[in-house]
């Protein structure tokens, strides 16, 4: 999906996010190897010493000569800051928490056509955000996010386990 978004759809920025450093670094390493081993993809890299690869653990990146980039981030408990992009992949979504979602959604709401792709194994008891996403989709309530929705959600406060806001008992 990442290479398709960059090479076919020509998106400017894709962000991949995982809960663990090992997962994020592993995906970065796999994608880097695929690009380096393919002559057509390798031509998209800049002619610099780093060849466009940033390799700080948990903050890796691949920068193309076309001014496009893929960022790899490790999520922390204090939020989802730095997870913006045209497309955002949330891997290990069973560990994706309310503070991370609250930080990410306002950033994406100002993008022209943002998309979040959630990847996860079965959720845990404390996987509240994954449960909300699953329940909304199962109930047919999943709708495109708009700026006004994010502003409304921000005013309402945190989401409870059942998908309702504590302040007004309203579903998002």
């Amino acid at each position: 999906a990442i290479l398709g978004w960059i090479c076919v759809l020509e998106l400017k920025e894709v962000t991949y996010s995982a809960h663990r450093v090992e997962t994020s670094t592993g995906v970065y390493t796999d994608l880097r190897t695929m690009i380096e081993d393919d002559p057509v993809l390798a031509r998209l890299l800049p002619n610099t010493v780093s060849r466009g690869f940033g390799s700080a653990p948990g903050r890796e990146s691949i920068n193309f000569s076309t001014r496009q980039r893929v960022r790899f981030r490790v999520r922390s408990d204090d939020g989802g800051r730095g997870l913006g992009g045209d497309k955002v992949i949330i891997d290990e979504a069973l560990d994706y928490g309310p503070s991370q979602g609250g930080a990410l959604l306002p950033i994406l709401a100002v993008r022209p056509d943002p998309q979040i792709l959630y990847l996860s194994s079965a959720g845990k008891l404390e996987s509240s955000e994954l449960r909300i996403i699953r329940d909304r989709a199962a109930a047919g309530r999943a709708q495109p996010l708009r700026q006004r929705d994010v502003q409304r959600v921000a005013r309402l406060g945190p989401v409870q386990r059942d998908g309702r806001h504590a302040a007004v008992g309203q579903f998002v």
Side-chain angles (χ1 to χ4, degrees):
I2 293 173
L3 287 175
W5 285 334
I6 294 293
C7 298
V8 178
L9 298 180
E10 299 180 345
L11 298 179
K12 288 290 184 193
E13 185 175 19
V14 176
T15 300
Y16 171 87
S17 165
H19 182 68
R20 297 176 37 179
V21 173
E22 298 83 13
T23 306
S24 180
T25 300
V27 172
Y28 164 77
T29 301
D30 291 347
L31 190 59
R32 178 179 178 158
T33 301
M34 286 182 359
I35 293 168
E36 289 179 318
D37 289 351
D38 185 288
V40 174
L41 295 174
R43 281 195 298 253
L44 296 174
L45 297 171
N47 191 14
T48 62
V49 173
S50 70
R51 297 283 295 146
F53 296 109
S55 57
R59 299 189 61 78
E60 296 91 347
S61 63
I62 301 173
N63 298 285
F64 298 92
S65 59
T66 56
R67 301 183 74 162
Q68 297 166 283
R69 72 178 172 166
V70 180
R71 298 184 315 152
F72 298 83
R73 295 293 182 261
V74 176
R75 294 186 309 273
S76 62
D77 291 336
D78 66 349
R81 284 148 183 72
L83 296 184
D86 300 309
K87 306 294 180 196
V88 177
I89 301 168
I90 304 291
D91 199 352
E92 301 171 328
L94 69 159
D95 290 316
Y96 184 65
S99 64
Q100 296 163 345
L104 174 62
L105 295 179
I107 294 168
L108 293 183
V110 298
R111 296 272 191 179
D113 186 26
Q115 183 180 22
I116 304 173
L117 177 63
Y118 297 94
L119 308 176
S120 185
S121 56
K124 303 182 285 190
L125 181 60
E126 59 272 11
S127 300
S128 61
E129 290 298 297
L130 184 60
R131 185 177 305 104
I132 290 167
I133 294 162
R134 182 208 59 202
D135 291 348
R136 285 181 68 188
R141 292 192 321 257
Q143 298 176 3
L145 182 66
R146 302 284 184 246
Q147 177 68 34
R148 68 184 187 298
D149 298 326
V150 171
Q151 291 170 343
R152 181 177 57 86
V153 169
R155 285 193 309 270
L156 294 176
V159 177
Q160 296 177 345
R161 283 182 178 242
D162 65 358
R164 296 177 189 263
H165 280 284
V168 293
Q170 178 178 350
F171 280 102
V172 293

